[in-house]
Amino acid sequence: MAKQQTTKSIYDFIYLDLDRIHSYYAQLMDGVPNQKTSSSREQKNYTYKATAGPRDILHMAGEKGSSIEESLDQLMDMHHVLPRDMINLLDEHNLISKKLAANNLGRLVMIQGLINFADFETLGKNSDNALDAHRQLNQEAGEEFSDEEESNMKTVFNVINAYPIGVQATMQVNSGTTQHAWMALDKKYLTSAHLVSALKHKTLSSEEFVVLGILDAIPDRFVKEDAKDLEKFKDNLVKANPFFHALFSMSDAYKEIIGRPYNFYGITPISIFRVMRAKIDN
């Protein structure tokens, strides 16, 4: 028996933080199911009519009915349906905000827009080849590749090679206003889609993706009131131990080169996916 199709879309997940997904689901449902049983039953009724005796002598009709019940039990692995179920549960419990705003700091948000992936680990491993390719492109375009430019690129590659986070993503959010989000990604939760995306698109993806995550950083313009307190805190640490001066300088340099841009929101992603909807008949 075929189950009536009611699903109008499916999610194509390219990033799944399964540890958080299991944790959130368990908190809402008092545990995480490994399997799910689906049962469907259908009852069929059969009726037939019989005429007794020759038609020209005796006319007598009788009806007799019978029924047959069919059932189908299916045992399903919950591993692949759990992420979508978890998103639906969070939404039902009103735990997801659909917009980026300073007052949503520390909350779960779901945003949609065009995305870009930057694989620093792969780039760092091929830094020499990248330099040669950049030099060759400049020569073909008749442009000079100065020693200063090469030195600056080598500095950036050195920073990238020492950077512990291999993949970043930025999103141009579809919100009606100019908003951007920055994310650091854990490679163990990624598919290979980020590599394919980098080869397919010049900068941003052609299609929109959805990100569910924790909003844990907001643009600097929203935190100006705390800037003086932060500077005072840093000054006190430096006075207590000069080592913190070098530490803060290094941290600021990392952030400036490959960290969250000051006017971007920062998100810890839980899942990234695209929505694949039903076909459109032309």
Side-chain angles (χ1 to χ4, degrees), residues 22-47:
H22 290 167
S23 174
Y24 294 171
Y25 196 100
Q27 291 177 62
L28 294 173
M29 300 298 291
D30 296 326
V32 179
N34 293 320
Q35 294 178 327
K36 178 180 179 181
T37 302
S38 175
S39 300
S40 59
R41 286 176 171 75
E42 181 177 345
Q43 184 169 342
K44 297 181 180 180
N45 295 312
Y46 299 92
T47 303

Side-chain angles (χ1 to χ4, degrees), residues 161-220:
N161 284 323
Y163 191 55
I165 299 173
V167 183
Q168 291 184 11
T170 53
M171 173 174 277
Q172 180 176 295
V173 183
N174 182 10
S175 61
T177 60
T178 304
Q179 290 185 318
H180 299 88
W182 178 93
M183 295 157 274
L185 307 179
D186 190 329
K187 259 196 167 181
K188 69 181 179 182
Y189 299 135
L190 266 170
T191 68
S192 60
H194 68 288
L195 294 174
V196 177
S197 177
L199 296 174
K200 281 182 182 177
H201 312 292
K202 286 186 176 180
T203 305
L204 294 169
S205 61
S206 301
E207 60 183 326
E208 291 191 338
F209 285 80
V210 180
V211 174
L212 171 68
I214 306 165
L215 178 63
D216 46 20
I218 56 178
D220 290 3

Side-chain angles (χ1 to χ4, degrees), residues 95-101 104-111 210-216 265-268 270-271:
L95 292 171
I96 300 177
S97 175
K98 302 296 175 63
K99 66 177 182 178
L100 290 178
N104 281 329
L105 185 65
R107 294 184 171 90
L108 287 169
V109 294
M110 182 178 286
I111 57 174
V210 180
V211 174
L212 171 68
I214 306 165
L215 178 63
D216 46 20
Y265 289 86
I267 292 178
T268 296
I270 297 168
S271 66

Side-chain angles (χ1 to χ4, degrees), residues 256-267:
E256 185 72 24
I257 296 173
I258 51 177
R260 177 183 66 88
Y262 70 93
N263 59 340
F264 279 40
Y265 289 86
I267 292 178

Side-chain angles (χ1 to χ4, degrees), residues 6-22:
T6 58
T7 302
K8 301 195 181 293
S9 65
I10 59 174
Y11 293 173
D12 179 30
F13 290 97
I14 65 170
Y15 185 89
L16 281 173
D17 185 340
L18 293 175
D19 294 331
R20 280 194 170 95
I21 289 171
H22 290 167

